[in-house]
């Protein structure tokens, strides 16, 4: 079946540190891949997406590259800020389907 | 553009009671989803509507959960009777068809259900 595996959190970083949150997936065909973010007290928001192999999604300084050979979609940011503290969810959408399959989420805490 | 609205935001009930949640999607969005998010886990799809028809309800516990989307707009999700393991946040999301299978899902703030 389809599944998404994320690194466990919490991830604690100092401001301006480099961030990587690992995400790998299992799926048939060619899924679309997403990162969603949930800030404290808010709903899920789309952060970035990639719909085919080697695509790079980017937004707000975050990037992720769709790597089919390693079935990965790792989230990166060169310099995190305190305001990036949130829970990050990796998700996939199967080919021909609209519903999302989510990972378990990774909490990021950025300290000043 | 108004976002996805959900109510109530919080609900506390005793086991074996019934409860209903309401969702109003973004205007014009044909697709509506209900997800269940248990604490510490990612959201899991319960049911997906396209207009007022069910597309996928394979993970909906149909012995106790039901959902409807009358007139292809608002939707309600009901649990009857509730169990302790139903304690979770229930998320509603909507999406348009215009972007094909890569279109974005927009999520509401969720309803946090606690079953005692």
């Amino acid at each position: 079946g389809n599944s998404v595996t994320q690194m466990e959190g919490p991830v604690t970083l100092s401001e301006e540190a480099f961030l990587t949150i690992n995400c790998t997936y299992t799926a048939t065909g060619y899924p679309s891949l997403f990162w969603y973010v949930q800030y404290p007290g808010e709903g899920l928001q789309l952060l970035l997406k990639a719909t085919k192999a080697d695509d790079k999604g980017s937004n707000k300084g975050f990037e992720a590259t769709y790597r089919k050979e390693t079935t990965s979609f790792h989230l990166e940011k060169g310099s995190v800020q305190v305001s990036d503290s949130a829970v990050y969810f990796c998700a996939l959408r199967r080919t021909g389907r609209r519903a999302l399959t989510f990972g378990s989420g990774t909490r990021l805490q950025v300290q000043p | 553009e108004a976002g996805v609205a959900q109510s109530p935001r919080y609900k506390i009930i005793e086991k074996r009671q019934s409860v209903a949640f309401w969702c109003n999607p973004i205007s014009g969005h044909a697709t509506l989803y209900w997800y269940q998010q248990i604490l510490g886990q990612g959201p899991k799809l319960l049911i997906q509507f396209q207009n007022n028809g069910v597309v996928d309800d394979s993970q909906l516990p149909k012995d106790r959960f039901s959902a409807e989307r009358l007139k292809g707009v608002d939707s309600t999700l009901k649990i009857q009777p509730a169990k302790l393991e139903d304690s979770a946040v229930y998320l509603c999301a909507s999406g348009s068809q215009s972007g094909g299978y890569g279109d974005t899902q927009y999520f509401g703030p969720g309803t946090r259900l606690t079953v005692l």
Side-chain angles (χ1 to χ4, degrees), chain A residues 87-110:
Chain A
V87 181
Y88 293 82
F89 292 91
C90 185
L92 69 80
R93 170 185 275 140
R94 283 173 49 192
T95 305
R97 304 294 295 273
R98 292 185 182 273
L100 297 168
T101 299
F102 285 88
S104 57
T106 303
R107 181 176 299 278
L108 170 66
Q109 297 173 333
V110 181

Side-chain angles (χ1 to χ4, degrees), chain B residues 41-67:
Chain B
Q41 300 181 19
K44 182 187 80 171
L45 179 72
L46 291 174
I47 189 167
Q48 175 189 341
F49 292 94
Q50 187 74 19
N51 297 307
N52 60 349
V54 175
V55 173
D56 182 355
D57 64 357
S58 57
Q59 299 188 80
L60 187 74
K62 298 181 185 65
D63 58 334
R64 297 184 301 106
F65 285 65
S66 65

Side-chain angles (χ1 to χ4, degrees), chain A residues 6-91:
Chain A
Q6 292 181 234
M7 61 188 289
E8 288 193 17
V11 174
T12 303
L13 297 173
S14 297
E15 208 165 21
E16 299 183 2
F18 184 86
L19 168 71
T20 300
I21 300 178
N22 290 337
C23 170
T24 57
Y25 68 90
T26 302
T28 54
Y30 301 91
S32 296
L33 301 173
F34 303 80
W35 278 100
Y36 276 79
V37 60
Q38 189 169 37
Y39 297 103
E42 299 184 18
L44 280 166
Q45 303 172 27
L46 177 66
L47 181 59
L48 53 83
K49 66 181 180 183
T51 57
K52 61 183 188 294
D54 299 325
D55 266 3
K56 177 184 283 188
S58 60
N59 186 26
K60 300 182 181 180
F62 290 88
E63 293 182 340
T65 301
Y66 187 163
R67 300 287 189 200
K68 188 163 179 61
E69 63 275 13
T70 54
T71 62
S72 65
F73 192 55
H74 304 321
L75 182 68
E76 297 182 336
K77 186 175 186 183
S79 176
V80 294
Q81 305 300 312
V82 173
S83 57
D84 294 326
S85 298
V87 181
Y88 293 82
F89 292 91
C90 185

